[in-house]
Amino acid sequence: MTNSEIVDLLELTGRLMELHDRDAFKTRTFQTAAFNLDKSTADLPNLPVDELVKLQGVGKSIAQKIREIAETGHLSDLDELLAQTPEGVLDMFRIKGLGVKKVRTLWQELGITNLRDLQLAGENGQIAKIKGFGASTQEKILAALEFLQEQQGKVRMDKAAMIANLLHDELATHFERVEVSGQVRRKAQEVDLIQLLIQTNDPVSAMLTLKKLPNLAQNEAESSPFAWRGQLAGFDVQIELLFYPAEQINRQLFIQTATETHLKQAGTGGVPLLQVAYSSVLAEIVDSADVAEVEAAIYERAGLPYIVPEMREDDFAFRWASRHQNEELVTWDDLRGTLHNHSTWSDGKQSVADMAAYCRELGLAYFGIADHSKTASYAGGLDAERVRQQQLEIDALNRGFSTDFRIFKGIESDILGDGSLDYDNETLATFDYVVASVHQTLTMSLEKATTRLLKAIENPYTTILGHPTGRLLLAREGYPIDHRAIIDACAEHNVIIEINASPYRLDIDWHWIEYAMQQGVMLSINPDAHDLVGLLDMHYGVAIGRKGGLTKAMTFNALTLNEMTTYLQQRREKIRM
């Protein structure tokens, strides 16, 4: 069991206790413990009761529950509650805007026990008639249901990679060669099919081997003699395992990675990439173990520039290649620092010192702290006095570093409803930089959202526009914005746009990266890290940046420490003028 798994079980127990109207005090003990432990860095699975009770929000009873979870993998209290709760009622918690009380009302007053009944009740107008709901809530529920249906069977980039790697490692013990292909290799931000290629000259034996693997459930109707299709236990996303002999697997890796639109692209001879890939003229090199050599040869024979796997989506990559070289694309090694991160001063799990130390381990030259601002009280946002205290701590830490590392003083300032920034100008002037983000009142029209962001961009203290649409992939659709107007305004006011590298966000969407670069707007690959591991999310940001054609030259946090220091200093001096 991990910390997050333990916290999830405690949180779910508290939620179901509230749903079933159990003792309010006991319910709060679970909810309080889950809230506090979510930020804890303690090794919860391995702590004894007498150590657990020393943690904030943990009494002896909860400590014993944690030990039960750690030792057995489940909690008897939760098992009892789950047995009394229809599975469909649990699904209702996934609906944006439905808290425990509303779910209980829908269940008890309308007898709704699944999402299908919930949708029918909304379409029939029954929800709007319930006291405390109304037509507006009903409309939002129906919209959220539609969004969830569209996302069904998909997983985020990070989970897709995890599943693909699990499959790869398992299959590699049974087959000579296994390759991750398709959407995962292409670094798609949302994945509905996880595909791997298996090298074999005996597909019948290969299929028998797969049938023996315990966690694979085959969909025989969708499978064929050369393709196993089904699911991995515990995940809804579809799995496809394709069988190819050694002489075909390299070219098939190319074909299966690219989209149909990409493969239709024709080169100087008018022959589409797909046809070239199948051509016999490649016979002399397809046996090569070097996949890159085979793929490069396919593009060369087609008379087209080589396109990296991330960009094999459509014809955009070829337009990009007419102006750029692949060597210009940003890489992890190009990143020199990180600028949007949180610490225990707000809702992060590690101290500023620990986060900075890990950045140094990663070989970065600077760490920017951007904790939440005062309006984000739910996330421990900093008031002006706590800002001052944090900055004193940063000054002390910086005195302990040599000239090759520095902590920058930033803030993630809420963009308020009218587009103004949290804090007065006097406080904003104390920061090295400001990440301006929307966190509250997310239901907006395109005009309202665009106007709100434009005002924030016009504020001279805004350095970086954070997660521009506020989306959460597969969970919450972003508010609509006029991307061109926003990017044009950032160009006019010299504001950087964030690529929020959290796999939950990946916002700004990669489709708008090229336009931003054309307008001269730099992009910052920001992890929005709340713990040490979160800093590694910049890998996802790099992948999405490359998919959109982001170059090192237009990547803000590819600036060296000296370049970043000079840039931020000159920007502050310009504001004072």
Side-chain angles (χ1 to χ4, degrees), residues 337-358:
T338 173
L339 293 168
H340 181 176
N341 306 285
H342 299 269
S343 73
T344 49
W345 280 91
S346 64
D347 62 345
K349 295 184 179 180
Q350 260 91 27
S351 67
V352 174
D354 287 344
M355 294 285 278
Y358 189 56

Side-chain angles (χ1 to χ4, degrees), residues 474-491:
L474 304 183
R476 183 178 73 206
E477 196 169 14
Y479 41 81
I481 61 172
D482 183 335
H483 280 82
R484 290 183 182 274
I486 295 300
I487 292 170
D488 291 348
C490 287

Side-chain angles (χ1 to χ4, degrees), residues 466-477:
H467 45 73
T469 73
R471 74 181 184 185
L472 292 176
L473 294 172
L474 304 183
R476 183 178 73 206
E477 196 169 14

Side-chain angles (χ1 to χ4, degrees), residues 407-428:
I407 301 174
F408 287 113
K409 304 170 187 173
I411 195 73
E412 185 178 21
S413 176
D414 266 32
I415 299 175
L416 305 181
D418 63 355
S420 60
L421 298 186
D422 224 355
Y423 302 123
D424 54 30
N425 287 348
E426 183 180 358
T427 303
L428 290 170

Side-chain angles (χ1 to χ4, degrees), residues 100-126:
V100 176
K101 292 180 180 178
K102 279 188 166 62
V103 169
R104 183 170 62 218
T105 300
L106 290 165
W107 179 20
Q108 294 179 351
E109 293 194 18
L110 294 184
I112 295 174
T113 58
N114 57 66
L115 296 183
R116 177 58 180 159
D117 288 347
L118 181 64
Q119 182 174 353
L120 289 173
E123 292 172 347
N124 294 333
Q126 293 175 278

Side-chain angles (χ1 to χ4, degrees), residues 475-513:
R476 183 178 73 206
E477 196 169 14
Y479 41 81
I481 61 172
D482 183 335
H483 280 82
R484 290 183 182 274
I486 295 300
I487 292 170
D488 291 348
C490 287
E492 180 183 353
H493 297 280
N494 195 26
V495 170
I496 313 301
I497 294 179
E498 171 178 272
I499 299 177
N500 190 293
S502 166
Y504 289 84
R505 291 188 184 273
L506 300 177
D507 184 16
I508 192 171
D509 189 274
W510 68 267
H511 293 86
W512 290 101
I513 290 174

